[in-house]
Amino acid sequence: MNLMLHWTDINYFQMNKIKIIAFAFSLCASCIFAGEASKIVSESAKKANAEDSIKYVESQLKSVTQPAEKRSLYIFLGTIQEQLGNFDLARENYVAAAGIAAGDAEGMPKKSNEQLVLDAVRCALSLGDTSLADSYLNSAVRNSQSQEIQAYIILYSQWSALCKADTTGQVDEAVVMLEAYSQRPSLSAVHPQLLLTLWYVTGKEKWAEKLRKDFPLSVETAVINGKAQLLPSPFWFFVPRSGVALPEIADEDVFQPDSKDILSAGNTSVSSDSAGSETTASVSSETTAASSGEKSGAASETSEKPKYLQLGLFREKDNAQALVNRLKKRGFTARIASETRPSGNVYYIVAVDDSSEKTMAELRSAGFDCYPVF
């Protein structure tokens, strides 16, 4: 199984809450359901929505006694919660699973405790909690003998560095490291993610071209080609960008993801946009970003209405204006707001004030990734 179920980053395909259940359930689809956990998962997939599915699994979890079965159910819950954008709940479930000394339950996906720790790292980054993410990265997982695990530790460490960036120098330093890592053969497991990160942060077409050339069938290439999109996550919307990275989505040919199109390869958690092409998924009302001047996500009351939709955070005002012009061409009204960090650096936010789910869906269908700011 691919280590990254989402990009958080990137879940490449956008899904409504029913499709989220289908996605998580599909992780077990190739198995013969026989164990207690697999039967509970199978029954949960029959529920009307993700919330009911989660409640059912949690209610059954209390009576599960076998460690392997309980561990697998925590993994399943973490997967669904992450897809819904409930990153802290997902993190708690991944940590709970990693704390159980048991193997994989019969009929359930195979996942090592090292992978689960990295899943928790990804969720911590999505919450803007770099200290927690770094603590996980500096735990026993550092001693892993797996080259793939070590590759993801390096990737996530660089994502953490980007999350901390408050100065142009910090961003530039992370970009230099990402570029160097993208050339290391020992990090081949994460080369597509490294290249996509470079493309997103810098807006440079050379990274998109390298992705197309070296990894033509990867989900990351689908993102830059506008056939897939990033799931909304604070990490991607509050990291300063030096350029505009937009997928190549033709006006007349927008990819409409269907449940059968959901990839189990993961990414970084991705949905369909890259700044992407999500079309029907709605953002969970429990998922929130911190105020525009902060990176940490904070849980919101389900009735709270977003102040605006953020589409980008740029170091150069010209880049922000370029995105506004692109939005205007597609029929959207956007504005530029400035943000001064404690360091004194000024960044430019591109925002759309209409934060309705309808507008979010329309933006993603048109190829623009967005994140609600509360």
Side-chain angles (χ1 to χ4, degrees):
M1 168 184 287
N2 190 312
L3 193 58
M4 306 289 292
L5 290 179
H6 349 246
W7 250 90
T8 100
D9 164 337
I10 313 182
N11 223 324
Y12 293 86
F13 290 89
Q14 146 205 296
M15 298 162 280
N16 58 27
K17 294 183 180 180
I18 298 300
K19 290 182 181 178
I20 289 171
I21 298 175
F23 171 77
F25 186 69
S26 70
L27 298 178
C28 310
S30 61
C31 306
I32 298 175
F33 294 97
E36 185 178 8
S38 62
K39 291 177 181 177
I40 292 173
V41 168
S42 178
E43 189 63 29
S44 74
K46 301 175 185 178
K47 303 304 178 183
N49 53 54
E51 287 83 358
D52 288 347
S53 178
I54 290 170
K55 289 178 181 178
Y56 176 77
V57 174
E58 289 176 340
S59 68
Q60 297 300 306
L61 187 58
K62 299 174 183 178
S63 61
V64 175
T65 58
Q66 293 298 318
E69 304 291 337
K70 187 179 290 289
R71 178 179 180 275
S72 290
L73 288 175
Y74 277 126
I75 294 172
F76 179 76
L77 286 172
T79 299
I80 294 182
Q81 295 284 18
E82 187 171 7
Q83 294 297 322
L84 286 173
N86 299 328
F87 302 114
D88 202 28
L89 294 174
R91 179 194 61 80
E92 290 177 358
N93 281 297
Y94 289 140
V95 170
I100 297 176
D104 302 297
E106 186 177 359
M108 296 294 285
K110 297 185 181 301
K111 208 165 198 183
S112 70
N113 281 355
E114 292 175 338
Q115 289 175 313
L116 291 170
V117 171
L118 293 183
D119 288 338
V121 171
R122 189 174 59 246
C123 291
L125 289 176
S126 292
L127 291 165
D129 194 337
T130 54
S131 296
L132 183 59
D134 290 345
S135 70
Y136 289 146
L137 287 169
N138 291 322
S139 66
V141 73
R142 283 280 185 190
N143 301 320
S144 174
Q145 299 301 306
S146 167
Q147 183 169 295
E148 183 178 13
I149 293 292
Q150 290 296 336
Y152 275 100
I153 289 174
I154 289 174
L155 172 67
Y156 286 6
S157 295
Q158 291 309 304
W159 282 0
S160 181
L162 284 171
C163 284
K164 296 172 188 147
D166 281 318
T167 68
T168 55
Q170 290 170 339
V171 174
D172 291 341
E173 181 179 347
V175 167
V176 169
M177 295 302 296
L178 287 164
E179 183 172 359
Y181 289 139
S182 71
Q183 300 173 30
R184 280 195 193 178
S186 61
L187 300 180
S188 60
V190 297
H191 278 178
Q193 290 94 326
L194 289 167
L195 293 172
L196 182 64
T197 304
L198 283 165
W199 170 78
Y200 183 85
V201 174
T202 68
K204 292 183 178 179
E205 182 61 23
K206 70 176 183 178
W207 303 118
E209 293 175 352
K210 185 167 179 60
L211 259 175
R212 292 188 184 100
K213 178 183 177 182
D214 296 349
F215 306 97
L217 301 180
S218 69
V219 181
E220 289 77 8
T221 297
V223 169
I224 64 173
N225 288 339
K227 302 299 183 184
Q229 78 186 66
L230 293 167
L231 277 178
S233 168
F235 168 67
W236 296 104
F237 295 88
F238 292 87
V239 171
R241 297 160 63 185
S242 58
V244 180
L246 292 173
E248 296 183 357
I249 299 181
D251 289 354
E252 70 282 0
D253 184 26
V254 177
F255 179 70
Q256 301 291 328
D258 186 73
S259 58
K260 67 178 182 296
D261 296 312
I262 296 170
L263 297 187
S264 59
N267 112 340
T268 53
S269 237
V270 189
S271 98
S272 160
D273 188 336
S274 119
S277 80
E278 235 174 282
T279 54
T280 59
S282 59
V283 178
S284 170
S285 58
E286 297 175 6
T287 304
T288 66
S291 65
S292 60
E294 300 174 345
K295 288 185 188 149
S296 63
S300 164
E301 293 298 328
T302 57
S303 60
E304 185 177 356
K305 178 179 175 59
K307 295 178 180 178
Y308 59 84
L309 301 177
Q310 180 169 319
L311 289 87
L313 179 68
F314 298 94
R315 288 160 43 185
E316 303 294 334
K317 189 172 183 179
D318 287 347
N319 288 328
Q321 187 61 54
L323 178 53
V324 169
N325 294 342
R326 176 81 176 267
L327 285 159
K328 183 177 180 180
K329 183 179 178 182
R330 299 299 294 269
F332 299 99
T333 300
R335 62 181 172 86
I336 298 174
S338 62
E339 172 188 310
T340 302
R341 296 285 176 84
S343 60
N345 286 280
V346 178
Y347 294 103
Y348 299 95
I349 297 169
V350 174
V352 170
D353 290 322
D354 183 355
S355 59
S356 66
E357 289 191 2
K358 179 176 182 292
T359 297
M360 282 191 275
E362 290 175 347
L363 282 166
R364 292 165 188 151
S365 293
F368 300 101
D369 205 6
C370 59
Y371 188 86
V373 176
F374 291 83

